């Protein structure tokens, strides 16, 4: 079975408090994008399922999140045998774009179809939370408000059509370490989440773009922060309606109304960075 695993961006990311269980209570407006990995999922050839990708440094076998998702599905439903997963990786890894979670979500959808389990997307999303906090959103896709650990989802009106330029600078940021640097009481700048929700309802792209923000931007160390700020400035300079870091970074994205402006920003950033993409909002499959 062939599947598309869409990446996501965070239109907003706010941290409300630290929880007793060590996780953080979040409030995020998430958007699926057409930048995606391609997966093939098939019944395993050997006694144990394998996961292979066209990127050498990705975890293989049962360490890959795709196999974790397959195990979680079997545990939750009692259905499905071992599967081989082959991944054509296009979404940069450790980038704040939920590439691994998107692959995990695609495997859950594949196993649901291959086994005839007939779970709803909401049920699959609930199972997916056991594989990672971003997996439930990746199962549902579209535009959604994510709360709690990230697993409590409320579908939102779709982001108006636009062009999205994503640029990942060549370093990675550890998600647990970044959460470790957050002092919730010292967060000064927050996204206008309610304003973004109202702008989505009104179909106001510029209103969404203007209110985007990611509280992690203030806790990133100084040198990466300077690079992130420079990418944001380049995107805005080339006509982005707004720009922000996605997830725990380091990817930065800008929203554009016009395709020629997006192409222009892409060309400029491509002179300095390898991982630059132009994509669009992805609409959920039904
Ligand atoms: O759930 P997931 O494995 O994606 O989370 C990775 C790490 O990010 C967790 O171990 C935790 O340190 C941190 N995290 C958090 N609060 C969240 C989500 C993740 O502190 N809501």
């Amino acid at each position: 079975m062939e599947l598309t695993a869409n990446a996501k961006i965070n239109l907003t990311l706010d941290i409300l408090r630290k929880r007793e269980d060590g996780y953080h209570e979040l409030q995020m407006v998430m958007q699926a994008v057409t930048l995606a990995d391609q997966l093939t999922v098939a019944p395993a050839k050997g006694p144990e399922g394998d996961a292979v990708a066209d990127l050498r440094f990705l975890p293989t076998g049962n360490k890959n999140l795709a196999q974790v998702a397959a195990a979680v599905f079997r545990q939750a439903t009692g259905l499905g045998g071992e599967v081989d997963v082959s991944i054509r990786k296009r979404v940069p890894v450790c980038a704040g774009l939920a590439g691994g979670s998107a692959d995990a979500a695609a495997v859950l959808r594949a196993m649901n179809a291959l086994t005839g389990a007939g779970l709803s997307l909401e049920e699959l999303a609930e199972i997916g939370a056991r594989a990672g906090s971003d997996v439930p959103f990746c199962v549902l896709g579209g535009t959604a408000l994510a709360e709690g650990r990230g697993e409590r989802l409320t579908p939102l009106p779709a982001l108006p059509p636009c062009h999205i330029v994503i640029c990942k600078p060549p370093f990675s940021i550890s998600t647990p370490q970044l959460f470790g640097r957050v002092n919730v009481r010292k967060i000064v700048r927050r996204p206008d989440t309610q304003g973004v929700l109202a702008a989505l309802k009104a179909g106001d792209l510029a209103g969404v773009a203007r209110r985007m923000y990611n509280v992690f931007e203030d806790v990133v160390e100084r040198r990466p922060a300077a690079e992130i700020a420079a990418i944001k400035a380049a995107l805005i300079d080339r006509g982005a309606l707004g720009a922000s870091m996605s997830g725990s970074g380091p990817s930065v994205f800008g929203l554009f109304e016009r395709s020629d402006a997006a192409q222009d920003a892409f060309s400029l950033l491509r002179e300095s960075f390898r991982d630059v993409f132009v994509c669009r909002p992805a609409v959920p499959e039904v």
Side-chain angles (χ1 to χ4, degrees):
M1 197 176 170
E2 303 275 332
L3 298 112
T4 300
N6 297 101
K8 64 89 183 154
I9 53 172
N10 289 80
L11 301 177
T12 68
L13 191 156
D14 201 0
I15 302 175
L16 305 184
R17 63 183 176 84
K18 186 159 184 197
R19 308 189 334 188
E20 303 281 305
D21 63 5
Y23 280 89
H24 291 75
E25 195 68 17
L26 305 176
Q27 192 171 51
M28 311 182 279
V29 178
M30 318 263 268
Q31 175 63 51
V33 297
T34 54
L35 172 64
D37 293 340
Q38 297 296 327
L39 273 77
T40 309
V41 181
K45 289 202 190 77
E48 274 191 26
D50 198 7
V52 289
D54 58 358
L55 255 191
R56 242 181 304 144
F57 51 86
L58 221 62
T60 53
N62 61 11
K63 290 200 179 61
N64 189 290
L65 205 54
Q67 284 299 345
V68 174
V72 157
F73 182 89
R74 286 191 295 267
Q75 240 171 33
T77 61
L79 295 172
E82 297 281 333
V83 286
D84 286 337
V85 182
S86 149
I87 307 171
R88 266 189 292 150
K89 202 80 203 151
R90 295 295 170 268
V91 181
V93 298
C94 297
L97 301 171
S101 302
D103 297 344
V107 169
L108 290 175
R109 282 191 282 123
M111 292 196 69
N112 196 32
L114 291 171
T115 60
L119 299 184
S120 67
L121 284 185
E122 287 73 18
E123 287 166 326
L124 269 189
E126 203 176 317
I127 293 174
R130 299 182 209 172
S133 304
D134 280 341
V135 179
F137 172 75
C138 292
V139 171
L140 288 189
T143 312
L145 178 69
E147 296 173 290
R149 253 174 68 201
E151 85 290 9
R152 234 172 49 230
L153 298 168
T154 311
L156 295 172
L159 182 68
C162 60
H163 304 271
I164 304 168
V165 176
I166 301 176
C167 175
K168 182 202 165 277
F171 51 84
S172 55
I173 298 176
S174 147
T175 305
Q177 269 178 31
L178 199 61
F179 270 112
R181 290 169 66 95
V182 173
N183 181 339
V184 177
R185 262 169 274 146
K186 288 196 177 151
I187 295 176
V188 183
R189 190 169 169 208
R190 293 180 182 276
D192 177 5
T193 308
Q194 291 310 317
V196 169
L197 299 186
L200 283 170
K201 206 167 162 197
D204 174 9
L205 178 65
V208 171
R210 192 164 62 234
R211 294 179 173 87
M212 301 188 302
Y213 192 64
N214 179 338
V215 297
F216 276 135
E217 286 182 45
D218 285 345
V219 290
V220 173
E221 285 177 74
R222 199 174 326 157
R223 275 197 41 206
E227 195 145 16
I228 287 161
I231 299 170
K232 281 175 75 167
L235 289 163
I236 298 289
D237 181 61
R238 296 290 151 141
L241 299 171
S244 187
M245 188 172 88
S246 184
S248 55
S251 299
V252 179
F253 67 91
L255 301 187
F256 293 79
E257 192 142 43
R258 294 170 51 128
S259 134
D260 55 349
Q263 282 301 332
D264 192 28
F266 168 83
S267 303
L268 174 76
L269 289 166
R270 197 68 184 74
E271 288 172 16
S272 310
F273 300 98
R274 199 193 54 181
D275 291 328
V276 191
F277 310 89
V278 187
C279 58
R280 308 200 56 146
V283 281
E285 284 174 41
V286 273

